[in-house]
């Protein structure tokens, strides 16, 4: 029914782009968020980079 390429794994984002995707999602969900608000929310969740550093 579906093409085999549609049933395979989805392409991931490059390692350095995941934070941009998170930021864009947060801003898309609430366009009124300011950068400081986003930083405070990320600080609460303690997002870490792919290298293990806290952001």
């Amino acid at each position: 029914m579906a093409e085999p390429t549609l049933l395979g794994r989805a392409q991931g984002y490059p390692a350095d782009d995941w934070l941009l995707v998170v930021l864009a999602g947060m801003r898309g969900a609430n366009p009124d968020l300011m950068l400081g608000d986003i930083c405070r929310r990320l600080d609460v969740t303690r997002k870490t980079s792919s290298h293990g550093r806290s952001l």
Side-chain angles (χ1 to χ4, degrees):
M1 295 219 202
E3 294 181 32
T5 55
L6 293 176
L7 300 175
R9 293 185 67 108
Q11 291 290 332
Y13 294 101
D16 295 337
D17 288 349
W18 71 269
L19 183 57
L20 294 176
V21 173
V22 171
L23 294 175
M26 291 174 75
R27 188 67 191 257
N30 186 353
D32 295 329
L33 278 179
M34 301 300 288
L35 182 58
D37 299 326
I38 292 173
C39 291
R40 281 187 287 280
R41 289 183 184 198
L42 289 176
D43 189 45
V44 168
T45 59
R46 289 287 183 194
K47 297 293 183 189
T48 57
S49 72
S50 59
H51 302 290
R53 297 181 302 225
S54 290
L55 298 175

